[in-house]
Amino acid sequence: SDVYKRQYQRRVRAFYAKFHGKSWPKFNSVKICALAYARIQGKQNLITHFQNSRLLSEEKKCRPIIFGLDAAGRATVEEQWPSPDSLAHRDAARTRGGRSRGRAQRARRRDD
């Protein structure tokens, strides 16, 4: 609903105002917090993005974690990663968004 959307937007702006550009004195660090909108939006889109990632073959402590909701609606339950898609799908995704496409386009332009 529109009311929920406006409340959410207010919370995001408040969070941004509270943390963006601020230091972390509690942790004795010189680092400054920088917030930006994510390139990938939504839980399912993130799962799809990382589903075929090499990160999932790393040590467990280095992998992304999927959280679900417990009975009280708190984000505390760790979910399992879905199985990777087929290799053909993974290769197609790399070509769509990666360097391979750029090289192919440059090669076509040279041929024209």
Side-chain angles (χ1 to χ4, degrees):
S1 77
D2 287 340
V3 173
Y4 174 78
K5 186 175 180 180
R6 284 192 298 275
Q7 289 175 345
Y8 179 78
Q9 290 170 341
R10 275 195 299 270
R11 289 181 185 140
V12 168
R13 285 192 295 271
F15 184 86
Y16 184 91
K18 184 174 182 173
F19 291 102
H20 184 73
K22 306 293 191 299
S23 62
W24 301 91
K26 181 177 178 180
F27 298 102
N28 194 26
S29 173
V30 296
K31 293 182 180 180
I32 302 297
C33 180
L35 300 174
Y37 285 100
R39 181 175 54 87
I40 302 169
Q41 296 289 326
K43 180 179 177 180
Q44 188 56 52
N45 289 335
L46 285 164
I47 290 170
T48 301
H49 174 76
F50 284 107
Q51 187 173 352
N52 296 311
S53 171
R54 291 184 184 157
L55 282 175
L56 296 182
S57 59
E58 296 289 333
E59 290 182 61
K60 187 169 182 167
K61 68 180 183 178
C62 299
R63 296 179 205 160
I65 300 171
I66 304 172
F67 286 103
L69 301 177
D70 65 10
R74 294 179 299 230
T76 57
V77 180
E78 187 173 341
E79 297 177 0
Q80 295 295 316
W81 278 94
S83 301
D85 291 341
S86 69
L87 292 175
H89 179 272
R90 183 172 51 195
D91 291 341
R94 284 186 188 142
T95 302
R96 272 196 316 271
R99 293 181 180 169
S100 300
R101 183 178 73 179
R103 287 186 196 129
Q105 287 174 345
R106 285 191 297 274
R108 279 195 298 272
R109 282 189 223 128
R110 282 193 300 262
D111 292 340
D112 291 339

